[in-house]
Each structure stands twice: as structure tokens, then as C-alpha cells.
Amino acid sequence: MTPPETDLSGDTAAGDQSPAVSLRPKPSVLRKRRDFTRAARGKRVAMPGFIVQMVVRPEGEATGIRVGFTCSKKVGNAVARNRAKRRLREIARLTLPRQGKPGNDYVLIGRRNTTATLPFDQLKSDFARALDILHGVVK
């Protein structure tokens, strides 16, 4: 099976749908505690369904977008935490390649009773709005 035809700008013939194969680099995932603690000292924005932390990496470190996800036990049992993190991973996958800035680290923190239950479209729009706030974009 071959992917649908697309030009190099990422636009498809169908309009605003994303292509089957992404042309943007995929963000790498934060795994080390020091990266999470560094992000905790940076800027943060609280939204109804999650909290976003952002820090600009120092000069000399690798470029590109990095993202981390966390949910404490306050979010619920393992099933609830995993569901919340899956939703956070998906909104990051859809939004960061377009709105994230290379050289930044982002950490998404799940919230009790809301990350797993809010409508997905609301989570996605809240994340886009949080990124605008963190980057200083005024709309």
C-alpha cells in the first residue's frame, strides 16, 4: 500500500487533512529526571486538563523538540494514569511538530479527573493555546 500523494509543503489534495507520512521531525521523549526537574524550573501554564512546563535548552545541547509526560498517583490507578498519558502523547504528537520550537523541552502533567475525561478536541485546543502563551504569541 502506498501513501497518498503529497507535495513537499505537507498539504494534501483533500485540504486540511494531514498526510499519511509526516514530513516534520518527530519530537524525542524526555526520560531522565534532570530534564524533568529543569523543565519544572521553567515557564508553566495550567489548563483545565493538564499543566505544561517549558524550558529553553542551553546553547550547545542538541537541537530539536523534546517532550515528557507525567501523571502522579493522584490521577488514579495505573489504568487511569496510562489513559491520561496516552491522551497527552497524542495531543503532543498532533500539535508540537507545528507549534513547538526547536531547542525547547516541554513536559505535560496530567490532572486528576480531567485529563482522561475532557473531550479530546478541548484538550487539543487547550494545548495549542498553552503553547501560544508559553511562546508569547498574542492572539
Side-chain angles (χ1 to χ4, degrees), residues 22-133:
S22 177
L23 300 175
R24 294 179 179 92
K26 181 179 171 183
S28 59
V29 179
L30 296 176
R31 300 203 188 277
K32 298 192 178 189
R33 183 178 191 279
R34 70 172 179 238
D35 294 329
F36 283 89
T37 56
R38 185 190 309 169
R41 292 188 303 265
K43 295 180 184 178
R44 74 174 41 101
V45 173
M47 299 309 258
F50 52 86
I51 299 170
V52 182
Q53 300 172 337
M54 181 197 80
V55 67
V56 178
R57 284 194 305 278
E59 294 293 326
E61 286 194 23
T63 60
I65 299 170
R66 297 191 313 176
V67 62
F69 308 94
T70 185
C71 289
S72 72
K73 287 189 176 183
K74 291 179 184 178
V75 173
N77 62 12
V79 174
R81 291 193 307 269
N82 287 335
R83 180 166 192 239
K85 285 194 280 187
R86 276 195 311 269
R87 296 184 94 203
L88 293 175
R89 278 193 294 268
E90 185 63 13
I91 62 171
R93 184 188 71 82
L94 294 172
T95 309
L96 278 179
R98 290 194 169 110
Q99 286 188 261
K101 291 187 177 180
N104 288 356
D105 289 346
Y106 302 92
V107 174
L108 284 83
I109 304 170
R111 294 187 113 173
R112 180 184 347 195
N113 299 330
T114 55
T115 304
T117 58
L118 279 177
F120 186 75
D121 291 334
Q122 181 180 350
L123 283 176
K124 194 171 149 185
S125 65
D126 284 350
F127 185 54
R129 191 170 62 230
L131 288 177
D132 287 342
I133 293 168

